[in-house]
Amino acid sequence: MSNKEGILIVISGFSGAGKGTLMKRLLSDYDEFALSISMTSRGMREGEENGREYFFVTREEFEQAIEEDKLLEHAEYCGNYYGTPKAYVEDKLKEGKNVILEIEVQGAMQIRKKFPRALLLYVTPPSIAELERRLKARGTETDEVIARRLAQAKNEVNYIHDYDYLVINDNLDECVKEMYGITCASVFEIKRQNEMISELKTELAELKF
Ligand code: 5GP
């Protein structure tokens, strides 16, 4: 897959849809992806590391980053701030990497506005019953947090129409391949081919017959 500037890929999905595992597989199976590490004001979960899952900061530090225009997008979700640091994404896109932002819907809509050519994917488990099962199986969240995340899903479902593709995460291997396929195809989307189309038009205009 060759394109000059990388594609900005937004991946959202219900909390518990398996986005984290999907991302890890996409990154390990294919070289052309880079994962943006977000900044958050939420507390660190057991097993997480600063700079690996997130850059963990205080609310004050987060607000300062907003003020200094260091974030591509940001949102408040379940009482905590989350945002995408700008510099890494811009650098990697220039290097030709497809940069993945694993973010929630409010942030995704901000990216859609700022980067009309971004590719927006929504990941869902095959059913809500399965979503609930996965959230409980994680074992890291209290019942109250799980209930909040399911309530959030009720709200989020209304935004799916604003995404480009719905990916059903039933079988991990298949889902990774499907996501890769979507990315490959999106390189050829008309909205990404303005330069080529201009060249064709110029050549046609120069034809003498
Ligand atoms: P969690 O607390 O489970 O790690 O993440 C909660 C939600 O925040 C997830 O839906 C995740 O996709 C979203 N999220 C993570 N990083 C960002 C970010 O940089 N910006 C936005 N808008 N959402 C994010």
Side-chain angles (χ1 to χ4, degrees):
M1 195 158 79
S2 73
N3 59 317
K4 290 163 219 147
E5 177 150 295
I7 299 174
L8 185 56
I9 305 170
V10 169
I11 298 186
S12 304
F14 302 128
S15 175
K19 288 163 290 172
T21 317
L22 273 173
M23 300 309 90
K24 275 192 204 130
R25 275 289 304 276
L26 257 187
L27 292 167
S28 68
D29 288 8
Y30 307 100
D31 300 334
E32 56 264 66
F33 295 94
L35 181 67
S36 156
I37 298 174
S38 297
M39 188 184 275
T40 185
S41 67
R42 91 147 153 73
M44 219 186 277
R45 287 188 195 132
E46 214 182 298
E48 288 183 331
E49 210 175 274
N50 190 25
R52 192 180 62 193
E53 281 79 14
Y54 286 103
F55 295 107
F56 294 93
V57 297
T58 61
R59 285 186 75 85
E60 292 69 33
E61 285 167 329
F62 197 102
E63 281 162 7
Q64 194 175 339
I66 299 173
E67 229 166 79
E68 290 171 359
D69 195 26
K70 287 191 172 151
L71 302 176
L72 271 190
E73 60 71 40
H74 64 92
E76 207 160 349
Y77 177 91
C78 294
N80 298 305
Y81 282 130
Y82 294 85
T84 305
K86 214 184 240 180
Y88 177 86
V89 174
E90 289 177 349
D91 291 351
K92 290 290 165 186
L93 285 175
K94 271 186 212 134
E95 281 174 28
K97 293 273 187 193
N98 298 324
V99 183
I100 302 174
L101 311 185
E102 197 249 278
I103 63 179
E104 52 66 70
V105 293
Q106 304 167 66
M109 295 306 111
Q110 293 171 39
I111 294 292
R112 172 64 100 208
K113 269 201 193 131
K114 276 195 194 162
F115 303 88
R117 295 201 288 184
L119 176 64
L120 270 61
L121 310 183
Y122 199 89
V123 182
T124 177
S127 68
I128 296 303
E130 174 63 11
L131 176 68
E132 216 175 338
R133 197 195 62 74
R134 288 185 195 175
L135 276 173
K136 286 182 180 153
R138 242 189 208 173
T140 53
E141 314 286 18
T142 60
D143 286 351
E144 193 207 326
V145 171
I146 292 175
R148 262 165 97 180
R149 290 187 177 225
L150 288 171
Q152 193 80 29
K154 273 195 187 179
N155 171 43
E156 272 186 25
V157 77
N158 297 311
Y159 289 89
I160 297 180
H161 295 288
D162 295 321
Y163 284 73
D164 297 312
Y165 292 89
L166 180 66
V167 184
I168 299 168
N169 184 14
D170 195 359
N171 174 300
L172 181 66
D173 287 331
E174 274 173 28
C175 195
V176 170
K177 280 189 205 140
E178 283 162 9
M179 287 175 81
Y180 182 66
I182 291 169
T183 315
C184 289
S186 89
V187 171
F188 304 102
E189 274 185 288
I190 295 296
K191 65 183 176 187
R192 248 177 269 286
Q193 297 292 343
N194 289 342
E195 213 173 292
M196 180 66 192
I197 296 166
S198 298
E199 279 170 28
L200 293 173
K201 280 186 181 166
T202 309
E203 276 189 65
L204 280 167
E206 285 166 0
L207 279 183
K208 295 197 172 55
F209 55 85

